[in-house]
């Protein structure tokens, strides 16, 4: 059933939020992320094979621990947006936002009239009848977030056009794909990529849109925090699990 979006609430109050990408479609992993104290999880349905029923279970796992579930949908797929929200997602992450039309398409799919044209449905969102349907429409438009993932040079150039009409609740840069877009694949610390990320941050500041930094080191998080950033993605579960397994074996082989 639709709940208060704690990430939206905390950002509006100036509080800090931390999340992870989840590319391991396992309910136990999502529960662990929530139990560890993260604020949100981005369930990846762009690069990961997740069927609709499985996605609903992943969202339920997030709900059990108070974790706010967002879903990264495939590019330009309004049907995927609808299914994710009907399953209970509290926000959608729209990949490869290159122009304002990409945002408008997402808003139309994610929000009910008059803001959009999300297809009407009952089910999990209104708690199988516990929330009056007209009330649910109003609350869903207020709680569900549209998150723009900008990971192409075109999107960086068009950042003011993308943000100025409103409707974007959070902006997330994609340094990996940005590096490829600028001709330096996986060189995410390349000056051109770093400058692109700073351009996105500046655009968010101009238009009053929260910026979510992709940050895996305390030093970089401190820099972003000093710049007023309060939302952070700290990596993904797959990388963290693989690193922990390697470290565990290294310690065992070293006799420590």
């Amino acid at each position: 059933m639709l709940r208060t979006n704690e990430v939206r609430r905390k950002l509006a109050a100036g509080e800090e939020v931390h999340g992870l990408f989840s590319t391991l479609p396992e309910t136990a992993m999502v529960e662990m992320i929530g139990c560890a104290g993260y604020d949100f999880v981005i369930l990846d349905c762009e690069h990961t094979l997740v069927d609709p029923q499985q996605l609903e279970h992943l969202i339920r796992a997030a709900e059990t621990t108070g974790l706010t579930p967002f879903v990264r949908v495939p590019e330009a797929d309004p049907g995927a947006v609808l299914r994710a929200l009907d399953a209970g997602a509290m926000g959608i992450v729209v990949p490869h936002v290159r122009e304002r039309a990409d945002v408008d398409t997402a808003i139309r799919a994610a929000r009910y009239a008059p803001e959009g044209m999300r297809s009407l449905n009952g089910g999990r969102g209104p708690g199988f009848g516990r929330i009056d349907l007209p009330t649910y429409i109003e609350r869903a438009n207020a709680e569900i977030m549209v998150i723009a993932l900008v990971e192409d040079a075109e999107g960086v150039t068009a950042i003011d056009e993308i943000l100025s009409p409103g409707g974007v609740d959070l902006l997330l840069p994609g340094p990996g794909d940005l590096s490829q877009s600028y001709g330096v694949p996986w060189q995410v610390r390349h000056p051109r990529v770093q400058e692109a990320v700073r351009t996105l941050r500046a655009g968010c500041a101009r238009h009053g849109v929260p910026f979510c930094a992709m940050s895996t080191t305390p030093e970089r998080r401190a820099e972003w925090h000093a710049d007023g950033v309060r939302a952070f993605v700290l990596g993904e579960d797959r990388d963290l699990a693989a690193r922990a397994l390697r470290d565990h074996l290294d310690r065992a082989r070293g006799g420590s």
Side-chain angles (χ1 to χ4, degrees):
M1 187 171 71
L2 182 70
R3 301 171 301 164
T4 298
N5 188 325
E6 285 298 314
V7 170
R8 182 189 281 277
R9 184 193 66 77
K10 287 181 179 181
L11 289 175
E15 299 178 36
E16 199 165 306
V17 294
H18 302 90
L20 289 177
F21 276 100
S22 179
T23 58
L24 299 174
E26 295 292 341
T27 54
M29 177 59 73
V30 174
E31 283 189 275
M32 283 191 280
I33 292 170
C35 288
Y38 289 89
D39 299 285
F40 65 92
V41 63
I42 300 174
L43 303 169
D44 190 353
C45 290
E46 181 189 21
H47 293 283
T48 305
L49 295 175
V50 181
D51 65 49
Q53 186 176 37
Q54 186 180 28
L55 177 61
E56 191 170 292
H57 291 323
L58 295 172
I59 290 170
R60 283 195 184 97
E63 292 170 346
T64 64
T65 61
L67 185 65
T68 299
F70 300 141
V71 175
R72 176 162 71 174
V73 297
E75 183 180 354
D77 190 343
V81 172
L82 176 63
R83 290 188 295 274
L85 296 181
D86 282 354
M90 295 301 296
I92 56 162
V93 176
V94 185
H96 293 289
V97 171
R98 302 179 180 92
E99 58 183 355
R100 178 63 198 187
D102 298 325
V103 174
D104 290 337
T105 298
I107 290 173
R108 180 177 175 84
R111 298 203 172 113
Y112 295 111
E115 298 174 37
M117 200 53 65
R118 176 181 166 189
S119 182
L120 296 173
N121 190 26
R124 293 200 77 232
F128 301 99
R130 290 183 65 184
I131 302 175
D132 174 72
L133 289 175
T135 300
Y136 170 72
I137 288 174
E138 182 179 353
R139 286 186 56 192
N141 278 357
E143 299 291 350
I144 290 168
M145 298 174 69
V146 173
I147 303 167
L149 177 56
V150 179
E151 44 193 343
D152 301 273
E154 300 97 314
V156 176
T157 300
I159 189 59
D160 289 308
E161 170 198 327
I162 288 168
L163 296 179
S164 60
V168 175
D169 299 304
L170 186 67
L171 186 135
L172 182 66
D177 277 323
L178 277 172
S179 70
Q180 179 168 250
S181 184
Y182 285 107
V184 288
W186 280 128
Q187 297 180 48
V188 296
R189 301 188 189 282
H190 190 281
R192 294 182 70 186
V193 178
Q194 293 298 302
E195 179 60 28
V197 173
R198 287 192 293 270
T199 297
L200 295 177
R201 164 59 182 149
C204 287
R206 285 193 297 274
H207 297 285
V209 175
F211 177 83
C212 184
M214 297 278 287
S215 181
T216 58
T217 67
E219 296 77 17
R220 193 68 181 117
R221 282 194 295 279
E223 292 175 7
W224 283 122
H225 195 274
D227 191 36
V229 174
R230 295 295 180 267
F232 299 91
V233 169
L234 306 182
E236 68 168 49
D237 54 4
R238 178 177 55 187
D239 288 345
L240 290 170
R243 189 177 306 120
L245 289 169
R246 288 193 298 268
D247 290 346
H248 182 71
L249 181 59
D250 286 345
R251 287 194 299 271
R253 285 173 171 168
S256 58

